[in-house]
Amino acid sequence: MLVSLDGDEVASVSMIDHYRLDLEILLLAAFFLFLVLFAGWTGVRAILSFLLSVLAIWKVLVPCCLKGMDPILIGGAITVGLTLMIIALVFGFDRRCLAAVTGAFAGIALTCVLGVVCTSSFQIQGAVMSFSETLLYSGYENLNLTRIFMASIFVGSSGALMDLTVDITAAVNEVVQKRPDLSRWEAARSGIQVGRAAMGTMTTTLLLAYSGGYIALLMVFMAQGTPLINMLNYKYVTSEIVHTLVGSFGLVLAAPLTALTAGWFLAGQKKGEHTDRSLDAVKPE
């Protein structure tokens, strides 16, 4: 509803769209409720990490980019900070956190480098992003959309990286809890097997996540009879290919590295020094 005022009096009232905030709040509250009922205190920490991510993007990343700061530097700093905070909320500041963070940071670094290199090599401009032209016409014509696109690659894949590294670390920790006699290499091998299984679906997850918003565009290509070779060379399709494959490279690096670090930090300790199921930090040897 748009209300126009003439001094202190209402001049006109116009209906511009349906009111959806009440349903959005209801849906969000239901999601939080189910999350807490299923995961308990871990669910509460997950909600906190969710809110931290929203605030970091809306209050830090977006304003800094609009001010003309380098999106890659700002995006990298925020992604690294969020990764550390979110994993720490899941595990606490202990050896599990250190193992998961090591793998996630390596994956983010590789994704950032490959994102910059591939964007330049494939001659992709930031205008492929939705609403990029609207942003320029809103008074921000000096923004470097291409560097914003580069930053979006590793920011978008960081969630999958965190998911994978936390899964592998939790699996290794569970194995070590059940078999305290395992050596570091045996624990790492178990983590690698978990990583291999997770990689089977994680890459597809990235593909579906990125391409889901382009269903209408793909339908246009098919309706117009666009040859497959032309479609794959189109800049919008190429940008999604870069998104998916570069993010997958980060996952491929993060999985074995996380398994190795988790095996090293969590196994091979003296009796009574293994990481317990609580969030208390574990003292090093």
Side-chain angles (χ1 to χ4, degrees):
M1 180 180 295
L2 179 63
V3 180
S4 299
L5 299 177
D6 185 7
D8 295 332
E9 297 181 357
V10 177
S12 63
V13 178
S14 302
M15 298 294 296
I16 58 175
D17 207 340
H18 294 282
Y19 187 77
R20 304 183 180 91
L21 292 181
D22 52 347
L23 294 178
E24 291 176 359
I25 294 174
L26 179 62
L27 183 63
L28 185 63
F31 167 68
F32 285 167
L33 177 61
F34 277 97
L35 184 60
V36 173
L37 289 177
F38 174 75
W41 282 109
T42 301
V44 175
R45 291 190 292 269
I47 293 172
L48 181 58
S49 66
F50 179 87
L51 297 177
L52 284 174
S53 300
V54 172
L55 289 175
I57 292 172
W58 184 245
K59 292 296 185 180
V60 182
L61 179 61
V62 173
C64 288
C65 289
L66 288 176
K67 291 179 181 178
M69 298 182 182
D70 191 341
I72 295 178
L73 295 179
I74 297 299
I78 291 177
T79 303
V80 167
L82 283 176
T83 299
L84 177 59
M85 287 189 294
I86 292 171
I87 294 178
L89 284 171
V90 174
F91 288 137
F93 289 98
D94 60 13
R95 298 185 181 189
R96 295 169 297 176
C97 178
L98 181 59
V101 165
T102 301
F105 281 3
I108 291 172
L110 178 62
T111 305
C112 178
V113 173
L114 285 179
V116 173
V117 172
C118 290
T119 300
S120 301
S121 301
F122 283 65
Q123 299 296 314
I124 300 175
Q125 292 80 33
V128 298
M129 296 184 295
S130 301
F131 303 104
S132 57
E133 294 183 4
T134 304
L135 177 61
L136 294 180
Y137 293 139
S138 299
Y140 294 93
E141 62 277 357
N142 295 325
L143 293 180
N144 191 330
L145 295 178
T146 301
R147 292 189 71 82
I148 295 176
F149 174 80
M150 294 174 179
S152 71
I153 295 176
F154 62 83
V155 172
S157 64
S158 62
L161 284 167
M162 281 187 280
D163 184 22
L164 181 63
T165 56
V166 167
D167 288 346
I168 293 174
T169 303
V172 172
N173 181 63
E174 189 67 17
V175 169
V176 172
Q177 288 288 333
K178 300 299 183 183
R179 288 283 309 277
D181 58 311
L182 283 179
S183 66
R184 287 188 170 102
W185 173 239
E186 289 174 321
R189 287 182 60 186
S190 297
I192 291 174
Q193 292 300 323
V194 173
R196 287 174 177 172
M199 282 298 302
T201 57
M202 195 64 70
T203 300
T204 307
T205 299
L206 288 177
L207 172 63
L208 295 176
Y210 290 134
S211 63
Y214 285 88
I215 295 297
L217 179 61
L218 297 177
M219 292 173 67
V220 169
F221 287 146
M222 182 168 291
Q224 295 178 348
T226 305
L228 181 61
I229 189 171
N230 292 348
M231 183 182 71
L232 293 176
N233 194 57
Y234 198 55
K235 60 183 178 181
Y236 291 101
V237 177
T238 303
S239 67
E240 294 309 306
I241 292 174
V242 170
H243 262 291
T244 303
L245 295 184
V246 169
S248 298
F249 270 104
L251 294 174
V252 172
L253 173 65
L257 182 58
T258 303
L260 291 173
T261 54
W264 177 263
F265 289 127
L266 301 179
Q269 303 173 44
K270 296 179 181 179
K271 185 177 180 180
E273 291 186 350
H274 291 286
T275 305
D276 58 23
R277 299 177 187 273
S278 68
L279 292 175
D280 297 331
V282 178
K283 295 180 180 179
E285 297 179 20

